[in-house]
């Protein structure tokens, strides 16, 4: 349903020999959570919405129950197939909880890292599609997840590119990203409406700063197909509604060229999108960035693309 942001160091490493996967070549990346110490940035934060209490933004039992069912659907043989496919490629990402360690502390003596990047991962707040699904579940409605049936709340035509609910906006505004240390120097965001709204609300204190670009990136979007809520509006409409976001990376892709009404994108396809994004991210000059995405995308990232021995990083 919704989770607070997770932050990692992205540490590219050059190794004398492959690590953990004998088929991998010499480019390895490691993600490690850094300490989240509150700092006074000296800047006046842009408070788009007032702080919300926990009752206003918390999960109810229906939401939590549905999230368990849907998270289980993302795991299994498809995720294992993705891991096997990625094991033949050059990019490796290892994730470890290390709140009090620096990149230098985690990298072994035999490993020489080239640089370190801090990545603040964030999932969007509650969308109207989430609300419809919660209410359908509470009413006892049963639906086939990736069907176009009338009972499936995710295919209602009214929720094309579903926006945030009021609760979702409160969730995004409550994250207090102005207290993150270090602060991101760029925000990369899915082009779907709910993620764009979350990025602008959660990082509101950075909106309008010329030195902190907000960039929309197609590869960060949710697993797509069948569900109307995951179909993107034309870029021209997103750009008109979110002038503070740069959509230049979409080039000539105004219409949604990924969404298919009768086929859901596979886990392998999403995983390769994530892999492509991490390759692109590793070449960026920013050392600290924010990434605002979706639950299915993040589940695939932490369960299929990253290497980690810590189960808490794989949770929904």
């Amino acid at each position: 349903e919704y989770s607070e942001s997770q932050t990692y160091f992205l540490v590219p490493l050059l190794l004398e020999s492959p690590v953990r996967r004998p088929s991998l070549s010499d480019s390895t990346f490691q993600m490690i959570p850094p300490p989240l110490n509150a700092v006074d940035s000296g800047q006046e934060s842009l408070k788009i919405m007032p702080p919300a209490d926990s009752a206003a933004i918390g999960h109810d039992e229906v939401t939590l129950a549905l999230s368990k069912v849907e998270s289980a659907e993302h795991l299994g043989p498809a995720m294992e197939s993705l891991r096997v496919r990625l094991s033949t490629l050059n990019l490796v990402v290892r994730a470890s909880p290390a709140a009090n360690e620096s990149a230098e502390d985690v990298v072994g003596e035999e490993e020489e890292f080239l640089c370190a990047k801090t990545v603040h991962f964030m999932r969007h707040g509650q969308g109207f599609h989430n609300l419809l699904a919660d209410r359908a579940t509470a009413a006892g409605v049963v639906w086939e997840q990736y069907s176009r049936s009338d009972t499936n709340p995710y295919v209602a035509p009214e929720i094309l590119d579903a926006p945030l609910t009021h609760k979702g906006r409160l969730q995004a505004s409550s994250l207090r990203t102005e207290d993150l240390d270090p602060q991101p120097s760029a925000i990369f965001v899915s082009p779907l409406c709910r993620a764009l709204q979350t990025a602008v609300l959660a990082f509101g204190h950075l909106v309008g700063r010329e030195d902190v670009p907000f960039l929309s990136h197609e590869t960060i979007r949710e697993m797509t197909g069948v569900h109307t809520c995951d179909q993107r509006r034309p870029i021209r409409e997103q750009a008109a509604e979110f002038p503070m976001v740069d959509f230049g990376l979409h080039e000539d892709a105004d219409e949604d060229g990924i969404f298919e009404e009768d086929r859901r994108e596979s886990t392998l396809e999403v995983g390769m999108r994530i892999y492509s994004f991490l390759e692109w991210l590793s070449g960026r000059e920013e050392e600290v960035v924010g990434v605002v995405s979706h639950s299915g995308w993040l589940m695939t990232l932490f369960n299929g693309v990253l290497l980690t021995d810590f189960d808490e990083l794989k949770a929904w």
Side-chain angles (χ1 to χ4, degrees):
E1 172 57 21
Y2 175 81
S3 61
E4 294 190 0
S5 59
Q6 300 185 57
T7 306
Y8 296 85
F9 283 148
L10 177 62
V11 185
L13 308 169
L14 280 185
L15 308 178
E16 293 295 333
S17 60
V19 176
R20 297 185 64 175
R21 286 178 173 171
S23 61
L24 291 170
S25 62
D26 61 2
S27 295
T28 303
F29 296 79
Q30 184 162 358
M31 285 183 175
I32 308 136
L36 299 180
N37 300 321
V39 296
D40 182 2
S41 64
Q43 298 178 349
E44 182 177 356
S45 298
L46 174 60
K47 298 295 186 182
I48 298 179
M49 299 184 69
D53 59 43
S54 59
I57 63 175
H59 306 307
D60 55 34
E61 293 183 2
V62 173
T63 297
L64 294 175
L66 183 58
S67 70
K68 290 181 180 180
V69 173
E70 295 188 345
S71 64
E73 295 173 354
H74 284 279
L75 306 176
M79 200 68 73
E80 179 58 32
S81 297
L82 170 61
R83 287 192 287 267
V84 171
R85 174 69 179 92
L86 291 176
S87 70
T88 67
L89 304 179
N90 294 337
L91 181 68
V92 179
V93 183
R94 285 189 280 131
S96 311
N100 297 315
E101 294 181 285
S102 66
E104 293 87 345
D105 294 328
V106 176
V107 175
E109 293 182 359
E110 76 283 2
E111 300 171 336
E112 180 182 356
F113 71 89
L114 299 177
C115 63
K117 295 190 179 185
T118 302
V119 182
H120 305 293
F121 286 104
M122 184 182 298
R123 188 245 176 177
H124 64 79
Q126 184 194 55
F128 272 96
H129 63 304
N130 302 127
L131 178 62
L132 289 181
D134 286 353
R135 291 191 172 184
T137 300
V141 177
V142 178
W143 67 90
E144 185 179 347
Q145 182 70 291
Y146 302 123
S147 73
R148 299 288 299 182
S149 68
D150 292 339
T151 58
N152 188 343
Y154 296 123
V155 302
E158 295 85 357
I159 58 168
L160 188 149
D161 200 353
L164 296 179
T165 63
H166 177 64
K167 179 177 182 177
R169 294 193 298 271
L170 291 176
Q171 289 172 331
S173 298
S174 71
L175 288 177
R176 296 191 58 80
T177 59
E178 63 269 26
D179 292 338
L180 291 175
D181 180 24
Q183 284 285 296
S185 53
I187 306 298
F188 306 129
V189 56
S190 158
L192 295 182
C193 182
R194 56 192 181 271
L196 292 166
Q197 289 176 307
T198 298
V200 172
L201 290 169
F203 293 102
H205 66 292
L206 300 176
V207 171
R209 284 182 46 172
E210 294 183 359
D211 60 333
V212 184
F214 283 61
L215 300 177
S216 173
H217 203 295
E218 195 84 86
T219 62
I220 311 176
R221 63 184 291 178
E222 180 63 293
M223 176 183 286
T224 190
V226 183
H227 291 176
T228 309
C229 57
D230 298 326
Q231 183 176 358
R232 172 173 62 72
R233 294 187 302 171
I235 290 299
R236 64 182 182 277
E237 295 183 16
Q238 306 292 53
E241 188 168 333
F242 300 95
M244 69 292 291
V245 177
D246 183 348
F247 292 91
L249 294 175
H250 294 271
E251 297 179 342
D252 298 326
D254 184 52
E255 300 293 337
D256 189 345
I258 298 178
F259 182 85
E260 296 182 44
E261 188 173 285
D262 59 353
R263 188 184 79 88
R264 188 69 171 173
E265 194 177 18
S266 70
T267 299
L268 178 60
E269 289 171 313
V270 178
M272 294 309 296
R273 279 205 281 115
I274 296 172
Y275 178 87
S276 175
F277 171 72
L278 292 176
E279 282 191 310
W280 175 85
L281 180 60
S282 69
R284 297 285 301 187
E285 64 180 10
E286 296 91 355
E287 296 183 353
V288 185
V289 301
V291 174
V292 184
S293 186
H294 306 260
S295 57
W297 192 93
L298 291 167
M299 280 287 288
T300 305
L301 170 70
F302 286 101
N303 287 274
V305 180
L306 302 182
L307 296 180
T308 181
D309 297 323
F310 299 90
D311 290 341
E312 60 266 33
L313 301 183
K314 303 177 181 180
W316 189 270

